[in-house]
Amino acid sequence: MANESNDPKYTYYEEVYKAFLNTIDSYDLPRLDDDELADVLYGYMDAGRLVFSTYIAKDFMDDDPENKRFNFKMTRIEITLLAQAMKLEWVREHLNSEELMRKAIGDRDYTTVQGYQYIDRLQNMEKQLSREITTQINRLEYSNSELYGEMK
């Protein structure tokens, strides 16, 4: 958890991780020890921040893994968007593992055991999250008067 020595000029990974964990239900993550959990969460965050690769306002690759923070302060909406991008990575991971399971046990058996509805829900969630993130990033950029000036 965050400690008292956190500098308010930066956003710490923990803030983003909390926002992400509040958006998912996972039986797997609580089973991990602290080091494994930190690695998994960093992996989701690292992959998720790629959605900001064209974001002009801040460089989301500018972080300090040793101090577990970004080298800038994120807004609340940026933290929320990064948490959504982490969720997108989490959904993609689950979708891939379900598709591998379906291939491993065969379509007919998979349908009997699990059904295609779960994969359909994951695919729909993936598409929806991807659209929402892109839309929000575009809105953020176009509403930032420091970047574009007053657009009239």
Side-chain angles (χ1 to χ4, degrees):
M1 291 292 149
N3 62 41
E4 281 77 52
S5 67
N6 283 352
D7 189 326
K9 295 184 296 192
Y10 305 105
T11 296
Y12 288 79
Y13 296 164
E14 189 67 30
E15 295 174 70
V16 179
Y17 295 166
K18 281 182 186 178
F20 162 69
L21 290 170
N22 286 332
T23 68
I24 64 164
D25 289 325
S26 175
Y27 298 107
D28 299 328
L29 294 179
R31 294 180 187 157
L32 302 175
D33 68 37
D34 289 346
D35 290 337
E36 290 172 320
L37 181 60
D39 288 344
V40 168
L41 291 174
Y42 184 83
Y44 289 143
M45 186 184 67
D46 193 38
R49 67 183 167 172
L50 292 176
V51 302
F52 289 94
S53 63
T54 61
Y55 188 59
I56 298 169
K58 296 174 183 153
D59 178 6
F60 277 74
M61 301 310 276
D62 184 15
D63 69 334
D64 180 356
E66 187 175 317
N67 290 307
K68 299 180 180 169
R69 70 181 188 202
F70 289 88
N71 292 320
F72 56 89
K73 185 70 178 171
M74 287 185 212
T75 63
R76 196 87 214 114
I77 189 73
E78 289 168 337
I79 291 171
T80 301
L81 279 170
L82 184 51
Q84 276 187 301
M86 290 174 70
K87 183 176 181 176
L88 179 59
E89 293 305 316
W90 180 81
V91 166
R92 286 177 174 158
E93 180 181 274
H94 282 76
L95 182 59
N96 289 337
S97 70
E98 286 299 316
E99 288 174 344
L100 287 174
M101 184 186 307
R102 186 191 77 217
K103 288 176 185 171
I105 65 175
D107 286 343
R108 188 169 37 125
D109 291 335
Y110 181 82
T111 303
T112 303
V113 174
Q114 184 78 3
Y116 280 98
Q117 291 177 352
Y118 186 60
I119 287 181
D120 287 343
R121 284 196 310 263
L122 286 173
Q123 287 171 333
N124 289 334
M125 189 182 298
E126 177 187 29
K127 289 175 191 168
Q128 180 182 354
L129 277 169
S130 187
R131 273 193 308 268
E132 286 175 12
I133 291 165
T134 301
T135 300
Q136 287 292 358
I137 288 174
N138 289 338
R139 283 183 183 154
L140 262 179
E141 285 189 321
Y142 287 117
S143 68
N144 188 339
S145 61
E146 290 177 14
L147 295 176
Y148 294 105
E150 293 298 319
M151 299 177 97
K152 294 182 183 187

